[in-house]
Amino acid sequence: MTPASTGASTTVGAAARVSAPSQASDSRMTPGGPGYRRMSLALFLAGMATFALLYSTQALLPLISDDFGVAASEASWTVAAATGGLALFVLPMSALSERYGRRTVMTGSLAVAVTLGLLVPFAPSIGVLVVLRALQGAALAGLPASAQAYLAEEVTPRALVTAIGLFVAGNSVGGMSGRVITGWVAQEWGWRTAVAVIGVIAVTCAVAFRLLLPAPRHFAPGSLRPRVLAATVRDHLANPLLRRLYAIGALFMTVFGGVYTVIGYRLTGAPFSLPQGVIGSVFLVYLVGTVSASTAGRLVGRLGRRGALYLGGGTTAAGLLLSLAPSLPLVLLGLVLITAGFFAGHAVASSAVSKTATRGRAQASALYQSAYYVGSSVGSTVGAMAFHSGGWAGTVGVGLLAVLGVVSITLLGTRAARVAARRDPVPAH
């Protein structure tokens, strides 16, 4: 099947047919090369704005519950609606990026998302707030898949894991700064002012992103025909490795979404009874995720992809169990381990998708992002329901089941690789 028949750019298809291009013949960006720093900073800021906007209400859920008189399970929809909107629209937005370009779609998505972010503080009811958040998530859908496709086309394969790790690190910084800032601002001036501040920060990031990101040099427009898109999606879903990576991304995010949606409720209650500003500062542990995501490339180099996933899953499970302790230092240490394990696993899985798909990369990344954010929506909703019925132990139980799923799927991949190695002396990808 030719690149044109899948909706992928012809440049990507050509690149896939060239084995081990030399540095002299490969014009894609490399660390230290022209444009690499600008590109890294631009996508770091885009990732930061995406997560800051997407999860802007997560640390504020107890205040939103009080303001609108709703339970945790209802307030959690302000998070689940945003991630659900992103999951629903990421595939169509990836198709637009194949036709109109990665940078164009990312710029338009950020512009709409930040505009909606400035409207969110004026929501008169929980219903309107949920609708605005769903629209915001749908607008942000143009960022993740397009960014990964841009990197796969514009960065050399050897540097791809590191480049995607930096984008994911931007996610972690955005998630952290959004929650810390909203926590302290909300303590003084309320949740509406807090989300307004995040909106202004996101506008700044969006403008800087557009000014910094180098113009693509290896993109060629693909087709927008539904039949072509459907064929590309079928090809990706028929790939067992991609299916496993999609499931792993969803399960990792189920843990993360559940834990960070509910943690504010746990820390405001006994025995901790922390004020909102201090709870917001708890999200400084996202810095650990920034480090673990940006070093994912070295982790894969030492342990291999599956070894890195086992380590990420094991670290996450250890953090979940530790967070059950009625001691604030142990709970915080548990959050550190959960965050480190999640971001490492996510960076490894998402970069593996970009390397595995040689055609229709935007669609391959979009399917991963769709599964990933479905996991976030499920984790936010089910984690809040489990907390309502069984307390923090219920939320931890949901997370441990998801980690068990990650380990089981990775074991299946290990077994499949061994079977393939016995059948074919060429190493399995």
Side-chain angles (χ1 to χ4, degrees):
M1 185 176 290
T2 66
S5 68
T6 65
S9 69
T10 54
T11 305
V12 173
R17 291 191 294 271
V18 178
S19 59
S22 67
Q23 287 292 102
S25 63
D26 195 338
S27 60
R28 288 174 290 182
M29 287 182 279
T30 58
Y36 187 86
R37 288 185 178 178
R38 285 180 56 207
M39 176 275 297
S40 298
L41 179 57
L43 289 178
F44 182 90
L45 291 172
M48 180 175 169
T50 298
F51 254 48
L53 289 171
L54 196 62
Y55 295 100
S56 59
T57 63
Q58 194 173 57
L60 305 173
L61 293 180
L63 296 179
I64 292 173
S65 289
D66 291 342
D67 189 19
F68 292 120
V70 297
S73 57
E74 294 175 80
S76 69
W77 277 103
T78 64
V79 179
T83 54
L86 193 153
L88 185 63
F89 280 87
V90 68
L91 188 58
M93 294 293 278
S94 75
L96 291 178
S97 83
E98 290 282 9
R99 181 66 183 88
Y100 298 108
R102 321 301 186 195
R103 190 169 68 162
T104 299
V105 169
M106 286 190 285
T107 301
S109 291
L110 270 179
V112 175
V114 298
T115 300
L116 289 167
L118 298 176
L119 296 177
V120 164
F122 302 100
S125 66
I126 188 68
V128 172
L129 179 58
V130 168
V131 170
L132 286 173
R133 296 282 292 146
L135 293 173
Q136 196 172 41
L140 287 169
L143 258 296
S146 298
Q148 290 193 29
Y150 175 93
L151 289 170
E153 292 167 352
E154 305 297 330
V155 176
T156 57
R158 185 171 294 181
L160 183 59
V161 176
T162 300
I164 290 180
L166 288 171
F167 175 66
V168 174
N171 292 168
S172 70
V173 170
M176 174 203 70
S177 59
R179 291 162 172 87
V180 172
I181 292 169
T182 56
W184 286 106
V185 173
Q187 182 171 301
E188 297 296 327
W189 296 288
W191 71 267
R192 295 179 186 274
T193 302
V195 293
V197 169
I198 293 301
V200 172
I201 292 173
V203 169
T204 304
C205 289
V207 172
F209 160 81
R210 186 60 182 83
L211 293 175
L212 287 169
L213 189 69
R217 300 175 60 191
H218 299 275
F219 170 78
S223 173
L224 268 178
R225 290 178 296 170
R227 185 178 299 177
V228 172
L229 177 61
T232 305
V233 170
R234 278 198 307 271
D235 285 348
H236 292 326
L237 293 178
N239 185 319
L241 174 55
L242 288 177
R243 288 201 304 267
R244 289 194 295 269
L245 292 170
Y246 297 154
I248 286 170
L251 289 167
F252 264 124
M253 196 54 166
T254 297
V255 181
F256 200 68
V259 165
Y260 278 101
T261 295
V262 172
I263 190 64
Y265 290 98
R266 188 186 185 205
L267 295 179
T268 55
F272 307 115
S273 302
L274 298 180
Q276 186 65 45
V278 175
I279 290 173
S281 297
V282 166
F283 290 91
L284 285 168
V285 298
Y286 265 51
L287 287 171
V288 176
T290 305
V291 174
S292 66
S294 59
T295 58
R298 291 199 294 272
L299 194 63
V300 172
R302 291 183 179 182
L303 302 176
R305 183 182 65 246
R306 289 185 293 274
L309 290 173
Y310 285 131
L311 181 61
T315 302
T316 303
L320 286 167
L321 293 172
L322 199 58
S323 72
L324 289 168
S327 162
L328 183 59
L330 291 179
V331 170
L332 295 179
L333 180 57
L335 290 176
V336 166
L337 294 177
I338 292 167
T339 304
F342 161 73
F343 275 106
H346 168 42
V348 170
S350 60
S351 61
V353 168
S354 296
K355 293 182 73 173
T356 301
T358 57
R359 295 176 294 188
R361 277 177 166 148
Q363 282 74 49
S365 295
L367 288 169
Y368 176 84
Q369 296 293 334
S370 182
Y372 175 79
Y373 285 108
V374 164
S376 179
S377 295
V378 170
S380 298
T381 304
V382 176
M385 292 171 63
F387 181 79
H388 182 72
S389 60
W392 182 250
T395 303
V396 168
V398 171
L400 289 173
L401 285 174
V403 172
L404 179 61
V406 169
V407 173
S408 300
I409 291 168
T410 307
L411 282 170
L412 287 175
T414 301
R415 181 181 178 186
R418 289 174 179 170
V419 170
R422 286 196 297 267
R423 204 171 47 232
D424 185 349
V426 178
H429 296 285

